[in-house]
Amino acid sequence: MGLTVRNIRIDGYLQGEFSTPAVDPFAQYVELDLIGTGPNNSTNIVDSTNKNVITRYGDAKISTTVSATGSIYLDGNGDYLTAPSSSSLAFGTADFTVETWVYFNAVSGYQVFAMLGSGLDGAPAAYNAWAFYTSNDSEGRNLNFNRYSPTFAGAVTPWSPSTGQWYHVAVSRSGSDLRFFVNGIQIGSTFSNSTNYAVVNSDPLTIGRFQANAGVVYSSDLYLNNLRITNGAARYTSNFTPPTRS
């Protein structure tokens, strides 16, 4: 929240109320921030940190269908985004937070927010440094943050989102405590997690796509705003008010 200042005298005149911009105390740790706003059908999807070059695949674009200011639209038919693999996007054993606003058009299969590694270099196994996604399969409906390299490690908690509404979802690790949050409320347990989320291959950061194994690809059908990766800081360790969606 910004600082509000009232009744300031400038050049002898009493001025009205104004507010300073909010300052992000974790700004130095932000490695990617896809805000996703813009005019309808724009293909100008950029990382506001200027640290990553975003590449579009399929018909990935900005849409104003569910947000007047625009959001990233991935239609579940081959649309996804990538950014080059980078050690700055791999958390190792450090604190981290991955979060986004998401509006689901589908909740079947695997709806991927982001994963470091697309699975291609690990075929037939879907090798990745980390993956944040929802699943709806024989194991139930869950929110997941996992690593496969090829040993599986991570955390899974039950969650049953609906289509047609916005959610703020986040996963945050502080020390060895990993937590999931939906709309600022922790869901599930606090997991003991000391996994080393290190880079496993040269696959890019992939948004909206998951290759489960050779020839099996899941494309996400959703809208995204404010996909942010914070490496080196746990933004959330208890319930919080979600940041405003752009």
Side-chain angles (χ1 to χ4, degrees):
M1 180 179 294
L3 174 67
T4 299
V5 182
R6 295 179 174 87
N7 297 331
I8 299 299
R9 189 172 296 276
I10 302 175
D11 294 333
Y13 294 93
L14 193 64
Q15 305 297 314
E17 176 181 309
F18 67 93
S19 297
T20 61
V23 176
D24 179 5
F26 303 106
Q28 63 179 313
Y29 301 106
V30 177
E31 296 297 338
L32 179 136
D33 191 4
L34 287 184
I35 296 174
T37 56
N40 195 43
N41 294 321
S42 171
T43 58
N44 185 32
I45 301 174
V46 298
D47 173 18
S48 67
T49 71
N50 295 317
K51 295 179 180 180
N52 304 279
V53 176
I54 305 301
T55 301
R56 299 169 47 255
Y57 293 86
D59 192 32
K61 60 186 177 183
I62 304 296
S63 170
T64 57
T65 300
V66 297
S67 171
T69 56
S71 53
I72 298 168
Y73 176 42
L74 308 176
D75 68 5
N77 189 29
D79 294 359
Y80 65 102
L81 307 172
T82 65
S85 180
S86 169
S87 59
S88 66
L89 297 171
F91 308 124
T93 57
D95 294 354
F96 66 85
T97 305
V98 184
E99 62 188 307
T100 189
W101 282 97
V102 58
Y103 181 109
F104 296 102
N105 289 320
V107 291
S108 58
Y110 301 92
Q111 302 292 320
V112 181
F113 311 131
M115 60 184 293
L116 184 55
S118 65
L120 297 178
D121 285 353
Y127 286 15
N128 58 72
W130 57 263
F132 187 28
Y133 61 100
T134 64
S135 58
N136 186 351
D137 55 22
S138 60
E139 297 181 1
R141 299 184 64 185
N142 296 294
L143 185 59
N144 308 262
F145 189 84
N146 297 324
R147 170 184 175 85
Y148 190 76
S149 63
T151 302
F152 176 87
V156 178
T157 196
W159 184 44
S160 299
S162 300
T163 58
Q165 66 183 81
W166 283 102
Y167 297 95
H168 181 267
V169 294
V171 58
S172 191
R173 181 170 71 179
S174 175
S176 60
D177 292 336
L178 185 143
R179 302 173 176 88
F180 293 103
F181 298 90
V182 174
N183 295 336
I185 305 299
Q186 182 174 346
I187 64 169
S189 304
T190 297
F191 295 88
S192 178
N193 180 284
S194 299
T195 300
N196 183 358
Y197 294 105
V199 171
V200 295
N201 53 37
S202 61
D203 286 356
L205 178 79
T206 305
I207 298 161
R209 182 181 187 273
F210 178 75
Q211 178 160 327
N213 50 52
V216 179
V217 175
Y218 296 93
S219 294
S220 304
D221 188 359
L222 44 71
Y223 297 87
L224 296 172
N225 275 120
N226 306 101
L227 173 61
R228 181 167 62 183
I229 297 173
T230 304
N231 188 356
R235 288 180 177 271
Y236 313 122
T237 58
S238 60
N239 294 347
F240 62 95
T241 300
T244 302
R245 185 174 57 83
S246 296

